[in-house]
């Protein structure tokens, strides 16, 4: 028997109300703040990710699905493709900042576990073309308001600044010096010490975490410009009334971040449970071959949102079903049912037609299980009088109605 590949999942009809709810709230919040939708291809040149995300990151080193001789890669994240599109379409000549959002599936060859998949979906957005700290505040506010609009409770906002090209080298040197004499690090951290020292700070291994807790803090070593930016952002968040915690171990897994990084964590979650995260990437567009352009973005995993909606027992609106079911008895009734269904659908009323010539009882059972509000029954007797029986499924009341009057009558009843 074939099964969906490891780390992937089918999103069955019963799950769809959650997904539609999240997608609708995402589109609504983006409209409120002036973010427009962009869809980029599912795969890109491998180099876009290698350069953008960084050769030393977990994603590029071991998680990319590459093909065509390694030239192309299924997108593992959404920011680099949007920046590529910004450069390709000359968006620097549009009014700045350019604000774009996406809802897309992403692919990472990770070890599957609860809330961690090989194909997952993100709602993300980017604001490109301004270095103003007020934009950092807005980007965080969009995420905050989005989670509020979903009804999610008890999310904490973790915030950090990891500096810029100017001040980060000095910080990394301090970090290396601090870690150099440390023994007993996990194998990954021993490698990180030389390849990617920032990532030492967010190791999930408990003994490494204790070492990281006492490590030098990036916020203590910011250059004056980065310190001012961080101070302004904290001021904006205070004005917006968004509570946050500065977490000096928050660095995020991709190399392109500068200055602001942030994450939202549910109250009861393990170390891998961030529901969304983002940050500023002031060098990325230049690294990808564009003219120097600052930017900031955020992305949140839809699977994890759905998981938290369920955990918190948040009800989501049901999706509507066709309200009318047509049951027919006999061959002549069949033709009349087909005609009626076509007439009703053309006037905008959703209809399910019985198929398979089952007994009336079985057809009514099917109408019930499909959640039909009304069933039209066409039998030989009704047909002879050019009538049909209209049955209200909630009260099981029924009446005989001339076939010609049914569309008008049903239109009134279902509207
Ligand atoms: P990232 O692009 O790694 O910053 O991830 C942003 C958000 O996407 C995370 O906070 C998660 O909610 C979600 N996410 C990332 N990786 C996965 C994954 N493998 N499976 C499910 N959700 C994920």
């Amino acid at each position: 028997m074939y099964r969906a590949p490891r780390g992937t999942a089918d999103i069955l009809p019963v799950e769809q109300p959650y997904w539609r709810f999240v997608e609708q709230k995402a589109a609504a919040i983006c409209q409120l703040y002036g973010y427009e939708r962009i869809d980029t291809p599912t795969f890109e040149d491998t180099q876009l990710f290698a350069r953008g995300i960084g050769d030393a990151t977990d994603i590029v080193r071991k998680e990319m699905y590459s093909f065509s001789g390694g030239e192309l890669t299924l997108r593992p994240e959404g920011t680099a493709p949007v920046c590529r599109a910004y450069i390709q379409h000359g968006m620097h000549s549009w009014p700045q900042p350019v604000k774009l959002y996406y809802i897309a599936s992403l692919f990472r060859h990770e070890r599957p576990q609860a809330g961690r998949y090989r194909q997952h979906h993100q709602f993300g957005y980017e604001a490109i073309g301004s270095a103003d700290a007020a934009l950092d505040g807005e980007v965080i506010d969009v995420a905050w308001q989005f989670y509020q609009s979903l009804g999610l409770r008890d999310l904490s906002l973790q915030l950090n600044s990891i500096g810029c090209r100017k001040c980060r080298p000095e910080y990394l040197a301090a970090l290396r010096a601090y870690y150099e004499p440390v023994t007993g690090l996990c194998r990954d951290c021993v490698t990180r010490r030389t390849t990617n020292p920032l990532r030492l700070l967010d190791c999930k291994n408990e003994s490494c975490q204790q070492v990281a807790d006492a490590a030098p803090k990036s916020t203590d070593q910011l250059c004056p410009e980065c310190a001012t930016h961080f101070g302004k952002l904290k001021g904006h968040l205070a004005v917006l009334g968004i509570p946050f915690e500065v977490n000096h171990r928050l660095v995020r897994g991709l190399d392109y971040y500068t200055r602001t990084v942030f994450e939202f964590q549910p109250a009861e979650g393990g170390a891998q449970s961030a529901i969304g995260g983002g940050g500023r990437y002031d060098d990325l567009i230049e690294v990808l071959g564009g003219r120097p352009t600052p930017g900031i973005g955020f992305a949140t995993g839809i699977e994890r949102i759905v998981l938290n909606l369920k955990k918190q027992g948040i009800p989501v609106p049901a999706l509507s079903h066709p309200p009318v079911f047509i049951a027919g008895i006999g061959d002549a009734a069949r033709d009349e049912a087909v005609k009626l269904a076509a007439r009703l659908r053309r006037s905008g009323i959703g209809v399910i037609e019985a198929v398979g010539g089952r007994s009336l009882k079985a057809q009514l059972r099917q109408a019930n299980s499909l959640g039909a509000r009304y069933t039209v029954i066409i039998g030989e007797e009704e047909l002879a009088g050019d009538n049909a029986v209209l049955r209200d499924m909630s009260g099981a009341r029924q009446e005989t109605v001339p076939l010609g009057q049914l569309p008008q009558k049903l239109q009134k009843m279902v509207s």
Side-chain angles (χ1 to χ4, degrees):
M1 188 174 72
Y2 293 113
R3 301 185 64 87
R6 200 163 121 77
T8 69
D10 298 312
I11 306 166
L12 296 175
V14 291
E15 293 286 312
Q16 294 291 341
Y18 285 98
W19 287 74
R20 293 290 87 76
F21 178 60
V22 173
E23 285 167 10
Q24 274 160 16
K25 292 292 181 191
I29 211 83
C30 285
Q31 198 184 6
L32 271 185
Y33 287 79
Y35 287 75
E36 293 182 291
R37 175 138 183 170
I38 182 166
D39 291 287
T40 61
T42 307
F43 56 87
E44 298 267 358
D45 282 347
T46 301
Q47 279 310 309
L48 175 71
F49 301 117
R51 269 202 216 129
I53 302 171
D55 283 322
T57 57
D58 285 353
I59 293 184
V60 172
R61 277 182 42 235
K62 49 190 187 196
E63 295 175 1
M64 297 213 294
Y65 284 97
S66 299
F67 58 101
S68 274
E71 245 176 66
L72 299 172
T73 293
L74 295 180
R75 64 180 163 216
E77 61 92 54
T79 299
V82 172
C83 290
R84 193 262 312 134
Y86 179 95
I87 299 166
Q88 180 178 337
H89 301 286
M91 293 188 202
H92 54 266
S93 64
W94 298 9
Q96 306 293 300
V98 173
K99 300 204 248 175
L100 301 167
Y101 82 94
Y102 57 86
I103 294 173
S105 50
L106 305 175
F107 307 85
R108 298 179 187 174
H109 194 270
E110 304 198 70
R111 195 165 57 79
Q113 47 193 293
R116 187 164 291 278
Y117 302 92
R118 290 183 170 171
Q119 176 182 347
H120 75 281
H121 299 76
Q122 290 186 358
F123 157 47
Y125 50 87
E126 317 290 341
I128 306 174
S130 168
D132 193 336
L135 193 60
D136 302 39
E138 183 194 273
V139 163
I140 293 175
D141 188 40
V142 174
W144 181 257
Q145 296 303 333
F146 168 64
Y147 291 134
Q148 298 268 325
S149 74
L150 292 171
L152 286 173
R153 299 175 296 269
D154 304 329
L155 296 182
S156 79
L157 167 60
Q158 313 268 306
L159 184 69
N160 197 14
S161 173
I162 54 171
C164 67
R165 279 204 265 225
K166 233 164 67 192
C167 52
R168 185 145 359 123
E170 226 169 283
Y171 173 59
L172 293 183
L175 210 52
R176 280 203 189 90
Y178 166 82
Y179 271 95
E180 206 189 301
V182 175
T183 52
L185 291 174
C186 73
R187 267 205 358 234
D188 282 345
C189 278
V190 171
T191 315
R192 286 178 188 134
R193 208 154 42 177
T194 41
T195 58
N196 199 356
L198 262 192
R199 293 307 303 278
L200 288 160
L201 296 173
D202 70 351
C203 181
K204 308 292 181 262
N205 192 302
E206 205 163 310
S207 63
C208 295
Q209 287 184 0
Q210 281 172 14
V211 180
D213 275 335
K217 300 177 179 170
S218 55
T219 48
D220 289 339
Q221 316 229 355
L222 297 176
C223 62
E225 294 80 6
C226 285
T228 304
H229 187 94
F230 195 42
K232 279 189 185 164
L233 169 59
K234 288 190 279 189
H236 290 305
L237 292 177
V239 169
L240 288 162
I242 301 177
F244 62 88
E245 234 174 85
V246 174
N247 173 357
H248 81 270
R249 288 187 37 214
L250 178 67
V251 293
R252 313 261 309 126
L254 308 101
D255 272 3
Y256 53 60
Y257 289 113
T258 50
R259 294 190 168 168
T260 310
V261 287
F262 62 100
E263 249 175 34
F264 287 88
Q265 292 276 352
E268 42 166 295
Q272 311 216 340
S273 66
I275 190 167
R280 191 162 260 295
Y281 44 83
D282 290 344
D283 304 327
L284 180 57
I285 301 251
E286 192 182 354
V287 165
L288 297 180
R291 59 177 76 165
T293 312
I296 176 163
F298 171 80
T300 179
I302 302 183
E303 283 82 356
R304 289 205 197 157
I305 292 176
V306 170
L307 204 74
N308 280 277
L309 287 171
K310 288 181 180 171
K311 233 193 238 171
Q312 297 191 7
I314 295 169
V316 297
L319 296 178
S320 65
H321 298 286
V324 177
F325 185 91
I326 302 182
I329 310 155
D331 285 345
R334 247 270 32 93
D335 290 349
E336 206 50 54
V338 170
K339 267 197 273 173
L340 179 63
R343 263 194 6 242
L344 291 175
R345 288 180 185 134
R346 261 179 238 129
S347 56
I349 301 172
V351 176
I352 293 183
E353 273 182 85
V355 289
R358 282 180 282 182
S359 71
L360 180 60
K361 205 165 146 202
Q363 293 185 45
L364 287 175
R365 223 179 300 126
Q366 190 190 0
N368 249 330
S369 67
L370 290 171
R373 286 163 58 195
Y374 303 100
T375 297
V376 177
I377 304 164
I378 307 176
E380 277 163 23
E381 204 177 301
E382 287 79 27
L383 211 53
D386 233 3
N387 289 324
V389 170
L390 178 60
R391 187 176 170 98
D392 181 337
M393 300 302 283
S394 56
R397 277 170 289 124
Q398 59 182 50
E399 59 181 313
T400 301
V401 180
L403 272 170
Q405 289 176 19
L406 261 176
Q408 234 182 354
K409 194 170 169 77
L410 275 168
Q411 202 145 34
K412 272 198 213 121
M413 290 164 82
V414 300
S415 61

